Amino acid sequence: MDRGQKGSKLHVLSEAPGIPLAVAVSGVNTHDSLALKPLIRGIPAVRSRGGPRRRQPVKLRADKAYFFAEHLTWLRERGLVPRIARPGTEPSERLGRYRWKTERSITWLFGYRRPTVRYEGKRSRFLAFLGLAATLTCYKKLAKLTT
């Protein structure tokens, strides 16, 4: 979209299989990188199979919009290994091997019809419906794993 247009942008942080961990909404005229830190802070505790719980995952994969030196050092300070494509040097095909999982989780969220079109005027209501869609998606995917 153009800078002057109104709209909203969806940011999703998902686990390796594509289960959404955190969702955020921003204006369409804001840069993607501004949503990185709130998404990372919103990650719930990760349960590991054979050991103590970790607070965060080990690696973070993101597209070129999130590549800033400030973000890289911030992620490393928190013990995350950033796997962010560098603009102009890395082809998008290498990151595309992992990016499709996040795109699929966005498709799962939009499968609930209500978040597809933003009918709500307030951002908090739209974010509540996105959170509900993410919760239902997590429940469905995790229920399949246990059966």
Side-chain angles (χ1 to χ4, degrees):
M1 299 192 111
D2 293 333
R3 282 189 224 172
Q5 291 184 347
K6 294 180 180 178
S8 56
K9 200 183 306 185
L10 175 67
H11 304 277
V12 176
L13 185 74
S14 64
E15 203 178 19
I19 297 172
L21 296 176
V23 293
V25 179
S26 67
V28 91
N29 54 358
T30 59
H31 198 269
D32 289 341
S33 64
L34 297 176
L36 181 68
K37 290 181 182 179
L39 279 176
I40 297 297
R41 289 186 190 115
I43 298 174
V46 178
R47 185 179 207 176
S48 56
R49 293 187 181 198
R53 296 183 101 170
R54 292 181 291 164
R55 281 294 303 156
Q56 293 182 339
V58 178
K59 296 178 189 174
L60 176 80
R61 298 186 192 278
D63 59 2
K64 296 176 184 181
Y66 298 97
F67 186 82
F68 287 101
E70 176 190 339
H71 291 315
L72 296 175
T73 55
W74 187 81
L75 290 169
R76 287 185 184 118
E77 286 172 0
R78 277 143 188 81
L80 289 167
V81 179
R83 305 279 185 188
I84 302 175
R86 288 174 281 166
T89 56
E90 287 190 32
S92 59
E93 292 84 31
R94 287 186 62 196
L95 190 62
R97 290 182 284 178
Y98 306 101
R99 184 178 176 182
W100 69 270
K101 295 176 183 178
T102 304
E103 298 293 335
R104 181 183 61 187
S105 64
I106 292 172
T107 305
W108 288 341
L109 292 177
F110 285 160
Y112 289 103
R113 188 177 163 209
R114 185 70 189 229
T116 306
V117 178
R118 184 173 173 176
Y119 297 108
E120 293 78 25
K122 290 191 173 186
R123 185 177 148 245
S124 60
R125 290 182 187 157
F126 182 65
L127 189 58
F129 280 116
L130 280 174
L132 182 61
T135 303
L136 289 171
T137 302
C138 288
Y139 175 74
K140 285 182 177 181
K141 301 306 169 189
L142 294 174
K144 280 185 181 178
L145 293 175
T146 58
T147 58

